[in-house]
Amino acid sequence: MEISEEAVIVNSSRLKSVVWNDFDRVKKGETYTAVCRHCKKKLSGSSTSGTSHLRNHLIRCRRRSNHDVAQLLSVKGKKKEVTVAFTNYNFDQEQRKVEKHSLVHTRYEQEQTNDGAIAICNSNFDNKRSRFDLARMIILHGYPLSMVEHVGFQLFVRNLQPLFELATFTRVEADCIEIYQKEKQKVYEVLDKLSGKISLSADMLSANEDSGYFSLTAHFIDDDWQLKKKTLSFIKVNPSHTGDVLSEVIMTNLMDWDIDRKLFSMTCDSSSTNESIVVRIRDRLSQNRFLLCNGQLFDVRCAANIIKLMVQDVLEALSEVIHKIRESIRYCRSSRATQEKFNEVAQIAGVDGNNCLSHDNPLYWNSTYLMLEAALGYKDAFSLLQEQDPLYKICPSEVEWSRASAITSYLKLFFEVTNVFTGTKYPTANIYFHEICDIHLRLIEWCQNTDAYVSSLALKTKTRFDEYWKNCSLALAVAAILDPRFKMKLVEYYYPQIYDSSSTDCIDIVSNCMKALYNGHAICSPLDSHGHGLACQVGGGSGGIESRDRLTGFDRFLHETSQSQNTKSDLDKYLEEPLFPRNMDFSILNWWKVHTPRYPILSMMARNILGIPMSKVSIETAFSTGDRMLDQRRSSLRPDTVQALMCAQDWIRNDSEG
């Protein structure tokens, strides 16, 4: 630049702020001026002026952003294999000290790339790594793949990092699938090394009128006694497919993951199609002798799903009364005058005004339950309002209020039990038995109601419940017995109430199932001394040692006499010992982890039983009245892309939480 004779360029190498890389500091007399090297604009260069105004100018300087960035990008294009210093994009270190945001704990897989890297300050910019970071972000948060082609996103990225090569829809789709393949290999290795069994859950999601997706999820307790779940497959299917076709699809996926030999149970919603699928898979695995006890506990129905079906029966039966209550609330809130009038009659009727009346969301049955419960508290107020307001004509009758009260007690129980099922992210199988037994006892009681309307509804819901109980009661009971706070005592408490005179036989069925399961695990256990262990002790040896061992007969004698001494098994010792005290901080998985050395075979059995997903719904969908739907954005993608996004999202989220 041209400088007048009176002006002198001052050496700025001693100045600490990096902004002086883009300015010349000129002294004219006693005045200091900062001259932009890009646009030649003059600003105050006094030491008392600071550098904020210089940084702000650099941000706005068009010549710097347009000319220098274009020049550097052309350098990148010519020398992809070279690391280029990009000093003009240093951030002010003083500002970075103020913003104490650290990303040092964020870990990403380092990708090897031939694209080269461009140095920004002291760190390298890796285009491929940033591209995969973008793909991981899309997977993790469920963003649309098309976001990479949105103008706003492209503008944001260009301003944030001009060196980033914007990805196309096709490119980011391929990156997501590549991430899926790498994550799948990790999950495969986890399942391959797993010493315990795996329980499977299956879900059907609707995509559109002529297609849907079948989701398979593995549930297991790992060697560190942590309950885990991994989405294995997200398969596009035709809803019209029979159970025969779907069972073959599932078997193909199980063999692809190489876990068909490790399967212990399968949890589905209650439906004829799902029943056909489970039966076919169980029969096939039983033929190959892959299932313990011939698959006695293989068929499990989702507990939350059976509650949802019973709730639908209840809401359907009460639909007319629910409509009247919903419209009554809407009328009372239709205007300020009506609201004030209703408040007055509520005070006259002595109603406790703490319960807030509000409309329900029919898509979530817990919302309808809460609306009914609140409205029942205002029953007298609604009746009084009908007497005083001739325009209000939809008040339920006394009989309808009575039935609404009885049926709301149904919903209250279902609401409380569902909250228990969804209270933890990964509930173990032992928490379900007493909750389901309480529902069973209440249904028996409701069937004896003097109101024929209520009793007939109770009979309908109990018929549906009995089908569930027939399939799952054994698994529920076994899981409860493996809780050291209950053992057989919980079964002995509930069964006489449920089965009356036949309870003894039913308890014996559960006890025999426990023994059969234990024996099945004992045979598979490396600790079993009746099979290969004995062969090593008695028939083993090499180099003719056996022929010279004169005490071989004595070893056989010891084995035979020990069998006659009725040595107690793990199961016997566990059941005979006192119950563990019940307390709120109890962790059943930690208890079994600590007691594994004491009960080596029974603990292996506990891992497999407690890992069964007795309920497979999430907190978000537990109270939903509709079917699960795949959003339209995902439905429009190719099936292999949908599977990659859905499975990888589950795996990455679980790793992040871990």
Side-chain angles (χ1 to χ4, degrees):
M1 65 174 288
E2 296 181 0
I3 303 295
S4 62
E5 295 180 359
E6 295 84 0
V8 179
I9 298 179
V10 181
N11 184 1
S12 60
S13 61
R14 294 184 178 181
L15 299 174
K16 294 182 179 180
S17 178
V18 294
V19 297
W20 293 108
N21 292 331
D22 295 274
F23 286 92
D24 288 317
R25 194 175 189 224
V26 179
K27 181 178 181 183
K28 185 176 181 180
E30 297 300 324
T31 304
Y32 289 89
T33 304
V35 182
C36 178
R37 293 177 180 176
H38 308 284
C39 67
K40 311 307 179 187
K41 185 172 182 178
K42 298 177 182 179
L43 298 96
S44 173
S46 172
S47 59
T48 60
S49 300
T51 57
S52 296
H53 64 298
L54 303 181
R55 290 198 304 271
N56 293 335
H57 170 74
L58 288 178
I59 294 173
R60 296 191 298 268
C61 183
R62 293 187 178 181
R63 285 198 176 187
R64 172 184 180 256
S65 59
N66 294 337
H67 174 74
D68 291 356
V69 171
Q71 183 179 6
L72 285 168
L73 288 177
S74 66
V75 171
K76 177 193 173 190
K78 293 177 182 178
K79 300 181 179 181
K80 287 188 176 181
E81 303 296 332
V82 181
T83 300
V84 180
F86 190 13
T87 57
N88 286 340
Y89 273 78
N90 287 336
F91 292 94
D92 193 326
Q93 298 300 319
E94 297 174 3
Q95 183 175 354
R96 292 183 65 184
K97 289 179 182 178
V98 175
E99 299 175 355
K100 297 181 179 179
H101 298 290
S102 175
L103 299 178
V104 296
H105 297 296
T106 304
R107 303 190 316 170
Y108 292 96
E109 180 181 352
Q110 298 294 331
E111 302 285 352
Q112 297 297 325
T113 175
N114 295 323
D115 293 344
I118 293 184
I120 301 180
C121 306
N122 294 325
S123 62
N124 289 333
F125 172 66
D126 188 331
N127 188 75
K128 187 174 182 181
R129 172 179 171 178
S130 295
R131 216 180 64 218
F132 276 91
D133 288 345
L134 172 61
R136 283 180 177 272
M137 178 190 74
I138 289 174
I139 291 171
L140 181 61
H141 300 291
Y143 297 144
L145 297 180
S146 58
M147 71 175 287
V148 298
E149 297 178 345
H150 294 172
V151 175
F153 175 77
Q154 293 179 347
L155 181 62
F156 167 75
V157 172
R158 283 198 183 101
N159 290 332
L160 182 67
Q161 177 47 271
L163 303 181
F164 180 65
E165 296 177 0
L166 288 168
T168 62
F169 179 95
T170 304
R171 177 70 265 174
V172 76
E173 182 182 34
D175 290 343
C176 289
I177 292 177
E178 184 175 341
I179 290 172
Y180 159 74
Q181 294 293 349
K182 291 181 179 180
E183 295 294 329
K184 180 178 180 181
Q185 182 60 32
K186 295 178 185 177
V187 177
Y188 182 91
E189 292 172 0
V190 169
L191 299 180
D192 183 59
K193 296 176 183 178
L194 187 67
S195 58
K197 292 287 187 177
I198 295 171
S199 289
L200 199 68
S201 66
D203 278 299
M204 179 68 80
L205 285 83
S206 300
N208 47 53
E209 294 181 357
D210 57 352
S211 67
Y213 281 85
F214 208 79
S215 171
L216 297 177
T217 303
H219 304 255
F220 58 91
I221 295 175
D222 64 15
D223 294 337
D224 197 37
W225 285 90
Q226 297 293 317
L227 185 59
K228 303 287 186 181
K229 74 180 186 74
K230 301 284 185 182
T231 300
L232 301 181
S233 305
F234 213 79
I235 317 155
K236 187 174 184 179
V237 296
N238 189 322
S240 63
H241 282 167
T242 62
D244 188 15
V245 174
L246 292 175
S247 62
E248 285 301 318
V249 171
I250 294 173
M251 281 302 305
T252 301
N253 274 267
L254 295 178
M255 289 185 287
D256 176 53
W257 282 96
D258 197 23
I259 61 171
D260 51 320
R261 297 171 180 267
K262 291 187 173 183
L263 215 58
F264 187 80
S265 71
M266 184 171 178
T267 303
C268 291
D269 291 339
S270 297
S271 73
S272 57
T273 301
N274 287 336
E275 181 179 357
S276 174
I277 292 172
V278 174
V279 168
R280 290 177 183 276
I281 294 176
R282 182 185 61 194
D283 292 346
R284 179 137 169 213
L285 295 176
S286 296
Q287 288 175 1
N288 296 327
R289 298 184 179 181
F290 292 160
L291 296 179
L292 287 170
C293 294
N294 205 28
Q296 197 171 7
L297 302 185
F298 184 78
D299 185 1
V300 179
R301 306 296 167 85
C302 176
N305 174 252
I306 191 62
I307 291 178
K308 177 180 175 179
L309 294 176
M310 291 190 292
V311 166
Q312 289 176 348
D313 291 339
V314 170
L315 295 180
E316 182 181 354
L318 200 64
S319 59
E320 292 184 9
V321 180
I322 292 174
H323 173 73
K324 287 185 177 182
I325 292 175
R326 187 181 291 131
E327 292 302 314
S328 294
I329 295 174
R330 183 174 287 112
Y331 176 81
C332 293
R333 301 180 63 183
S334 61
S335 67
R336 180 182 295 273
T338 307
Q339 180 72 57
E340 292 176 352
K341 179 64 176 176
F342 183 74
N343 291 338
E344 291 177 5
V345 298
Q347 290 182 354
I348 296 173
V351 175
D352 182 6
N354 291 329
N355 292 329
C356 182
L357 287 174
S358 61
H359 296 126
D360 66 326
N361 181 352
L363 297 178
Y364 294 92
W365 65 262
N366 58 328
S367 172
T368 302
Y369 156 69
L370 293 173
M371 179 191 73
L372 292 174
E373 187 176 51
L376 285 167
Y378 285 88
K379 179 185 71 170
D380 294 337
F382 282 117
S383 301
L384 188 57
L385 180 66
Q386 186 179 37
E387 297 175 2
Q388 299 184 9
D389 187 347
L391 297 178
Y392 175 52
K393 301 178 180 179
I394 51 176
C395 181
S397 65
E398 283 297 322
V399 174
E400 288 174 326
W401 279 119
S402 176
R403 290 174 178 174
S405 177
I407 292 176
T408 300
S409 66
Y410 279 53
L411 296 178
K412 181 179 181 180
L413 176 62
F414 296 150
F415 173 76
E416 293 172 346
V417 172
T418 303
N419 277 329
V420 172
F421 293 168
T422 58
T424 58
K425 186 172 183 181
Y426 300 137
T428 48
N430 60 300
I431 70 170
Y432 294 88
F433 179 73
H434 61 281
E435 301 289 348
I436 297 297
C437 284
D438 281 341
I439 291 178
H440 200 162
L441 293 174
R442 293 291 292 275
L443 285 172
I444 294 173
E445 176 187 336
W446 287 331
C447 287
Q448 300 170 355
N449 194 290
T450 55
D451 187 338
Y453 178 86
V454 175
S455 61
S456 62
L457 175 59
L459 184 60
K460 180 181 179 180
T461 54
K462 187 176 183 302
T463 301
R464 191 186 292 276
F465 175 86
D466 287 344
E467 184 67 22
Y468 166 81
W469 181 258
K470 182 179 68 176
N471 281 284
C472 301
S473 60
L474 202 54
L476 291 166
V478 169
I481 294 170
L482 289 170
D483 189 325
R485 300 169 299 173
F486 304 128
K487 300 184 180 180
M488 284 296 297
K489 293 298 182 181
L490 199 62
V491 177
E492 293 169 353
Y493 168 74
Y494 276 110
Y495 271 29
Q497 300 178 66
I498 295 173
Y499 292 110
D500 199 17
S501 60
S502 59
S503 62
T504 302
D505 294 336
C506 295
I507 292 172
D508 288 341
I509 292 173
V510 174
S511 179
N512 292 334
C513 178
M514 283 289 295
K515 294 175 183 177
L517 283 169
Y518 177 83
N519 291 335
H521 283 81
I523 293 172
C524 298
S525 172
L527 302 172
D528 177 39
S529 61
H530 308 310
H532 299 292
L534 178 63
C536 293
Q537 295 174 14
V538 179
S542 60
I545 295 177
E546 180 185 359
S547 61
R548 295 194 300 271
D549 186 357
R550 300 179 185 278
L551 294 178
T552 301
F554 176 70
D555 292 334
R556 188 175 294 108
F557 169 76
L558 286 179
H559 173 70
E560 292 173 353
T561 54
S562 65
Q563 294 298 301
S564 62
Q565 292 174 359
N566 295 323
T567 304
K568 289 183 179 180
S569 66
D570 287 3
L571 179 61
D572 294 329
K573 290 187 293 184
Y574 169 78
L575 293 177
E576 289 176 2
E577 291 178 351
L579 298 183
F580 190 82
R582 285 199 299 127
N583 60 71
M584 299 299 293
D585 298 327
F586 177 76
S587 169
I588 189 168
L589 296 183
N590 186 59
W591 191 93
W592 277 106
K593 180 180 180 180
V594 171
H595 289 80
T596 293
R598 179 170 175 78
Y599 309 111
I601 296 176
L602 190 62
S603 64
M604 181 169 58
M605 175 176 159
R607 271 181 67 177
N608 297 333
I609 298 293
L610 297 176
I612 297 175
M614 296 295 183
S615 179
K616 59 183 179 57
V617 300
S618 63
I619 298 174
E620 295 79 12
T621 60
F623 295 102
S624 174
T625 57
D627 296 328
R628 291 187 63 190
M629 295 285 295
L630 187 67
D631 64 81
Q632 187 175 3
R633 188 177 66 235
R634 291 280 173 89
S635 300
S636 62
L637 300 173
R638 294 186 294 113
D640 59 332
T641 302
V642 174
Q643 175 166 258
L645 293 173
M646 298 300 289
C647 293
Q649 182 186 61
D650 175 69
W651 302 334
I652 294 174
R653 280 181 176 176
N654 287 335
D655 288 344
S656 299
E657 292 170 1

